[in-house]
Amino acid sequence: MHQPLTANTPDTDTNFICCVALPALLDSSPESLNAIRTLLATHPVDQESTPVIPARKAKGWACEQWVIRAIGDLVDAGHLSDQFYKRHPKWRDLLLQNITKAGAKVLHGDNVGVTVVDGISVLEYKADAEY
């Protein structure tokens, strides 16, 4: 099961460019899926104590930051691998940069490794240097 992250252009957050597919869940049993649904359903939508990603300070708290925070919680709970997760103070910044790189790749017509599903470009998540 892949969950999409949307990638927008670096200069705007209004243009949907593509989805970046996350790695498969570590356990897709009904029990695990229920635990994930519960975690995400009870995940607060507001910022609470989560710092705003520095590159997005002018924009403030937004859905992309909620998704990145949720990814961290899914990794911490053992539902997602740490394939893209950085045990680093700036892991959220790095993940956002990679998502932005993916959007730029598709925006500029580089469709190597892109799958189109129902008219939507989907990329697998890759490490920094691979975009």
Side-chain angles (χ1 to χ4, degrees):
M1 179 167 106
H2 293 286
Q3 301 297 317
L5 288 177
T6 61
N8 298 308
T9 58
D11 58 339
T12 179
D13 292 317
T14 59
N15 297 326
F16 175 79
I17 305 298
C18 65
C19 288
V20 179
L22 299 179
L25 298 172
L26 295 176
D27 179 2
S28 59
S29 68
E31 297 80 18
S32 181
L33 293 177
N34 283 335
I36 292 167
R37 284 185 192 104
T38 299
L39 186 147
L40 294 177
T42 59
H43 212 276
V45 296
D46 54 348
Q47 181 179 353
E48 295 192 332
S49 63
T50 305
V52 173
I53 296 171
R56 296 291 198 244
K57 280 202 188 260
K59 179 180 176 185
W61 185 252
C63 61
E64 72 218 8
Q65 295 180 72
W66 180 91
V67 170
I68 290 171
R69 180 177 65 186
I71 288 170
D73 290 347
L74 290 169
V75 170
D76 289 343
H79 297 297
L80 281 177
S81 74
D82 62 359
Q83 167 181 336
F84 55 87
Y85 188 72
K86 312 276 188 191
R87 293 283 176 192
H88 182 285
K90 296 188 177 207
W91 77 269
R92 296 174 309 122
D93 306 77
L94 298 170
L95 179 57
L96 182 61
Q97 286 173 12
N98 282 347
I99 294 166
T100 302
K101 287 179 195 176
K105 175 182 175 175
V106 173
L107 183 65
H108 292 45
D110 181 354
N111 292 321
V112 175
V114 175
T115 304
V116 178
V117 179
D118 294 329
I120 297 172
S121 297
V122 179
L123 289 94
E124 292 296 320
Y125 182 81
K126 297 179 183 178
D128 302 315
E130 296 184 49
Y131 282 115

